[in-house]
Amino acid sequence: MNDLLPQDAHLWELFENTAQSVVQAYGFQQIRTPIVEETRLFARAIGAVTDIVEKEMYSFTDSMNGDQLTLRPEGTAGVVRSVIEHNLVYEGPKRLWYKGQMFRHERPQRGRYRQFHQFGCEAVGFTGPDVDAEMIMMCRRLWDDLGLDKIRLELNSIGDASERAAHRVELIKYFEAHADQLDAEAQRRLHSNPLRILDTKNPAMQELVTNAPKLLDYLGEASLAHFNGVQKILNHNNIPFKINPRLVRGLDYYNRTVFEWVTDELGAQGTVCAGGRYDPLIETFGGKPTPAVGFAMGIERLVELMKTAGEPAPGNQCDVYLVHQGEAAQLQAFVLGERLRDAGLDVVMHCAAPTGAGSFKSQMKKADGSGASFAVIIGEDEVANHTANVKAMRDEAGESQQSTVPFDGVVDFIVDHITDGGEEHHHFHVHDENCKH
Ligand code: ATP
Ligand code: MG
């Protein structure tokens, strides 16, 4: 479980803000569900014979009343519970998104943590392949907006329950005929969840699983039509993908469309986003039959990928750094700071230590380190003359340009110079963006 430190925070914010505005552009609305749910919710929703439920859940007994509780290992189960509990699809289908911490007791390694974060979407109440394609295109747009071009799409259909049952019989026969090549985990899975054997990461079993009976060959007409429908929309919109017949999901409740976005840039943990349809789940939970499709992306892995793609310059801590000397100047600086913030600027005010604010020189060093575009300096003279000294910190010529500005004109002066362009005014623009949404 990791701390998120300030030096990485701007990447997380960039990811989360971009993801949020992309999915909002497709009509998705946020949902927040509790981090703790009843254990049986996950056991049922995810399926008993899965890595997560078998060995990865943080479960505990509530010492106050004996309730069996679990820290959520994924987001879909909670969203589905909430959709049913609040009858969210009463008025029709809903497009939902969430983000937050997930917990899985796994062996920690690169790209795999015990507390991690997912950003996910669930489209609930949609039957057709159009929403599947829409979700995939939405991911594509997010990668584009983040400047991530080394992510590829793998697609498959795992059909419906009856098709999987027919395939399963043949799959078990096949693996039984090659029992000597199965590792311990595969042997354990052989009769409980043989489909998951196809997902093995054991290099020694790759040839065996490549030649195994393919679920795609067992799809009936309706499943095939759905799968073709997804592909048609993707092709029409020039979204490249590879059909991976061995792609299955770790969770039991998926049917038909499954997809993963994968990168080679992150080593073994290369799946940055995984999704698929789970039409049967909501009915299983006592809701009205409600088809649904969703995906979840791992934020840690995507932030890692953003770093390999060339870290954008960290956002300035502020637009303006306020330097002051003496009690009267400090009071003026407070007034000015509020006015600048009223105008949408980010302002850091120099903190007076118990012994005073320190020399101008040491304050200017702090101003420089803050990354501010402007330092505003107020000393005794400025207080007496009702002025302030405004210094452009990121002057192109490298020269320090200093102007004495009437106190009441400082905000306009800075806003004019910042919107004139020519310099990097990262912060101000970020503000603009936020206003737009
Ligand atoms: P994996 O094959 O990597 O174990 P999974 O099938 O368990 O993945 P999902 O449950 O589909 O993963 O979760 C969706 C995404 O969440 C993953 O593709 C990955 O990006 C991220 N993720 C899953 N588990 C972790 C973890 N322990 N730490 C960090 N990210 C994770
Ligand atoms: Mg896993």
Side-chain angles (χ1 to χ4, degrees):
M1 299 190 186
N2 297 312
D3 296 315
L4 167 60
L5 299 177
Q7 67 250 28
D8 278 344
H10 69 282
L11 281 176
W12 280 73
E13 284 164 8
L14 181 60
F15 174 81
E16 290 178 354
N17 292 338
T18 311
Q20 181 171 336
S21 48
V22 165
V23 302
Q24 279 172 352
Y26 290 76
F28 281 73
Q29 297 173 295
Q30 185 175 191
I31 184 165
R32 294 190 192 190
T33 65
I35 287 177
V36 181
E37 299 267 2
E38 289 185 30
T39 301
R40 60 165 185 234
L41 173 74
F42 300 114
R44 283 186 63 202
I46 299 170
V49 200
T50 54
D51 284 345
I52 294 181
V53 172
E54 278 179 342
K55 54 188 191 219
E56 295 176 358
M57 293 206 305
Y58 282 94
S59 301
F60 59 98
T61 306
D62 185 334
S63 60
M64 305 303 280
N65 59 7
D67 285 351
Q68 298 296 316
L69 303 175
T70 293
L71 302 184
R72 65 180 181 200
E74 54 93 53
T76 305
V79 170
V80 161
R81 178 203 47 71
S82 181
V83 163
I84 296 171
E85 195 172 316
H86 303 284
N87 204 5
L88 286 188
V89 287
Y90 181 71
E91 291 167 341
K94 276 262 182 318
R95 292 174 167 92
L96 304 167
W97 70 267
Y98 64 84
K99 69 174 177 196
Q101 293 87 338
M102 306 294 161
F103 302 84
R104 296 184 194 177
H105 196 102
E106 314 195 57
R107 193 165 66 79
Q109 50 193 296
R110 184 180 176 201
R112 204 185 285 290
Y113 312 102
R114 289 180 172 174
Q115 174 181 283
F116 62 102
H117 297 75
Q118 286 183 335
F119 179 95
C121 286
E122 315 289 354
V124 186
F126 297 90
T127 317
D130 47 354
V131 190
D132 307 20
E134 179 184 88
M135 284 198 145
I136 289 171
M137 289 170 62
M138 200 161 75
C139 294
R140 175 84 264 167
R141 178 176 293 276
L142 176 57
W143 315 145
D144 288 348
D145 283 3
L146 292 170
L148 302 175
D149 54 3
K150 289 179 179 152
I151 305 180
R152 59 178 195 278
L153 173 61
E154 300 199 347
L155 188 66
N156 193 21
S157 172
I158 56 169
D160 296 332
S162 63
E163 293 151 7
R164 281 201 300 280
H167 169 253
R168 185 191 152 107
V169 173
E170 295 308 311
L171 195 62
I172 292 177
K173 262 194 220 158
Y174 171 84
F175 283 134
E176 276 174 347
H178 299 87
D180 53 323
Q181 295 174 50
L182 298 178
D183 62 16
E185 186 173 274
Q187 276 169 19
R188 201 166 48 81
R189 290 250 149 94
L190 182 55
H191 294 280
S192 58
N193 195 351
L195 204 55
R196 279 305 305 274
I197 300 178
L198 297 176
D199 205 18
T200 179
K201 296 192 171 113
N202 182 352
M205 284 177 52
Q206 291 311 309
E207 201 187 318
L208 182 70
V209 293
T210 307
N211 297 324
K214 291 187 177 41
L215 184 45
L216 276 181
D217 297 330
Y218 291 78
L219 296 193
E221 227 169 272
S223 289
L224 272 179
H226 189 102
F227 194 35
N228 288 333
V230 178
Q231 294 179 56
K232 192 170 168 187
I233 297 172
L234 295 181
N235 285 329
H236 188 73
N237 287 281
N238 300 316
I239 311 282
F241 60 88
K242 196 184 103 191
I243 292 178
N244 175 357
R246 283 172 41 206
L247 187 66
V248 296
R249 300 295 314 124
L251 319 184
D252 265 358
Y253 50 67
Y254 283 88
N255 72 323
R256 296 198 171 170
T257 314
V258 292
F259 61 90
E260 280 191 1
W261 291 93
V262 189
T263 181
D264 296 321
E265 306 290 299
L266 297 177
Q269 274 69 52
T271 303
V272 292
C273 173
R277 229 171 220 286
Y278 51 92
D279 295 335
L281 184 68
I282 294 178
E283 192 180 3
T284 310
F285 271 88
K288 283 198 224 60
T290 310
V293 52
F295 65 75
M297 34 186 86
I299 303 183
E300 280 81 1
R301 292 184 196 177
L302 282 159
V303 166
E304 234 3 72
L305 196 60
M306 287 163 76
K307 286 185 187 168
T308 68
E311 191 167 350
N316 292 346
Q317 193 189 330
C318 59
D319 300 303
V320 178
Y321 194 93
L322 272 176
V323 171
H324 51 86
Q325 187 86 158
E327 204 185 319
Q330 189 191 39
L331 285 174
Q332 283 294 68
F334 262 97
V335 172
L336 185 58
E338 291 307 303
R339 289 190 191 166
L340 288 163
R341 293 180 189 108
D342 286 344
L345 293 162
D346 287 354
V347 182
V348 171
M349 185 143 97
H350 185 78
C351 261
T355 53
S359 69
F360 274 130
K361 200 174 152 206
S362 74
Q363 290 196 43
M364 287 310 292
K365 259 197 198 147
K366 291 256 166 59
D368 205 35
S370 75
S373 308
F374 290 90
V376 175
I377 302 142
I378 306 177
E380 277 170 25
D381 291 351
E382 283 78 14
V383 173
N385 300 330
H386 302 286
T387 59
N389 224 311
V390 181
K391 185 177 172 193
M393 304 294 285
R394 300 280 173 273
D395 194 61
E396 263 167 21
E399 307 252 321
S400 55
Q401 230 183 341
Q402 209 152 320
S403 324
T404 301
V405 181
F407 190 78
D408 287 338
V410 174
V411 173
D412 285 344
F413 181 91
I414 290 179
V415 168
D416 283 352
H417 280 73
I418 278 190
T419 42
D420 274 355
E423 292 177 36
E424 281 260 306
H425 301 301
H426 187 65
H427 238 261
F428 196 63
H429 288 153
V430 166
H431 262 268
D432 275 357
E433 281 280 306
N434 288 346
C435 293
K436 249 186 1 209
H437 299 298

